[in-house]
Amino acid sequence: EDKVVQSPLSLVVHEGDTVTLNCSYEVTNFRSLLWYKQEKKAPTFLFMLTSSGIEKKSGRLSSILDKKELFSILNITATQTGDSAIYLCAGGVIQGAQKLVFGQGTRLTINP
Amino acid sequence: GAVVSQHPSWVICKSGTSVKIECRSLDFQATTMFWYRQFPKQSLMLMATSNEGSKATYEQGVEKDKFLINHASLTLSTLTVTSAHPEDSSFYICSTRESTDTQYFGPGTRLTVL
């Protein structure tokens, strides 16, 4: 059975700290790893990673994939209160159209 | 990224009634859409893959007769929860898939069945 596991499940830090969120996956027919940010409603897309070792960056957020060890990390530097959200990672599975298998999410809280 | 809308954003209904949720792809033609369900404090669970002009593909454990999916056009997919019960109360989210395989999500529909 396809499985995506995120850690930690919950994280509370102070504004300005750097955080690293982890995602490991066991997915057959793996194609890509996606990160999303979910605030009050539906998830918003952050990154899609398909190649090992190539960092993707967007402002203070960055992510990298290790296809040998089957994990990905999401880094957020200089955190702000607006970064408080649930961060979801998902393994993309080739099954006709690619479908996503989501992890449980990491609830990140940034205190001022 | 793709822009996806859902309607309604929330709905309350009585047990035994049917509820239809619409998912629209506003800025591109989506041959494939996905329907997810999210229970409180849980992650998104894929329910089914909606294919334009053909039958939906349901995930294991999802009753196709209870969750009717229609994808009649390239911009609209609908999910009908038939004979809803309180245990069907959940957050239902649709997504569309761009050519890069990235999925973009609608704002979700919160269903409460009394």
Side-chain angles (χ1 to χ4, degrees):
Chain A
E1 185 184 336
D2 295 331
K3 192 166 60 173
V4 176
V5 177
Q6 291 185 244
S7 64
L9 294 181
S10 179
L11 184 59
V12 181
V13 300
H14 290 294
E15 202 167 21
D17 288 351
T18 293
V19 297
T20 298
L21 310 183
N22 304 296
C23 175
S24 65
Y25 63 92
E26 291 177 32
V27 171
T28 54
N29 299 319
F30 174 83
R31 182 166 178 151
S32 56
L33 193 291
L34 292 86
W35 284 96
Y36 289 86
K37 177 182 181 181
Q38 186 175 25
E39 295 174 269
K40 291 183 180 172
K41 289 198 172 178
T44 53
F45 172 75
L46 295 175
F47 297 110
M48 182 169 80
L49 305 154
T50 54
S51 301
S52 251
I54 299 175
E55 184 183 56
K56 289 212 170 178
K57 209 167 161 60
S58 176
R60 295 176 294 103
L61 277 67
S62 63
S63 184
I64 199 162
L65 174 67
D66 185 329
K67 291 168 80 171
K68 185 179 174 188
E69 299 297 328
L70 307 182
F71 79 89
S72 174
I73 59 171
L74 175 68
N75 276 323
I76 309 175
T77 60
T79 52
Q80 301 170 359
T81 54
D83 296 326
S84 296
I86 296 172
Y87 290 83
L88 297 166
C89 82
V93 177
I94 303 169
Q95 191 170 344
Q98 176 176 262
K99 70 171 193 176
L100 298 181
V101 178
F102 280 87
Q104 329 91 296
T106 293
R107 183 178 292 275
L108 177 64
T109 304
I110 310 296
N111 288 327
Chain B
V3 181
V4 182
S5 71
Q6 275 185 247
H7 177 80
S9 54
W10 59 269
V11 58
I12 301 172
C13 69
K14 290 183 179 178
S15 191
T17 60
S18 293
V19 174
K20 182 188 278 190
I21 302 169
E22 293 184 349
C23 176
R24 290 184 186 274
S25 175
L26 299 183
D27 59 350
F28 85 107
Q29 295 180 325
T31 55
T32 304
M33 292 185 179
F34 300 88
W35 286 96
Y36 293 83
R37 182 167 48 185
Q38 186 176 35
F39 291 107
K41 298 192 178 181
Q42 293 188 26
S43 193
L44 280 77
M45 296 295 293
L46 179 65
M47 298 175 67
T49 303
S50 171
N51 305 298
E52 189 265 334
S54 64
K55 290 183 180 180
T57 304
Y58 290 81
E59 294 300 300
Q60 198 171 6
V62 178
E63 298 174 58
K64 57 182 72 173
D65 294 332
K66 182 167 181 64
F67 299 99
L68 300 178
I69 291 172
N70 185 282
H71 193 155
S73 78
L74 288 170
T75 58
L76 174 65
S77 176
T78 61
L79 168 70
T80 301
V81 183
T82 62
S83 187
H85 288 99
E87 58 265 29
D88 298 323
S89 298
S90 188
F91 192 50
Y92 291 87
I93 313 174
C94 70
S95 70
T96 63
R97 181 185 68 96
E98 276 197 341
S99 59
T100 60
D101 278 338
T102 301
Q103 288 186 26
Y104 294 93
F105 288 86
T109 297
R110 186 161 300 284
L111 171 64
T112 301
V113 185
L114 303 176

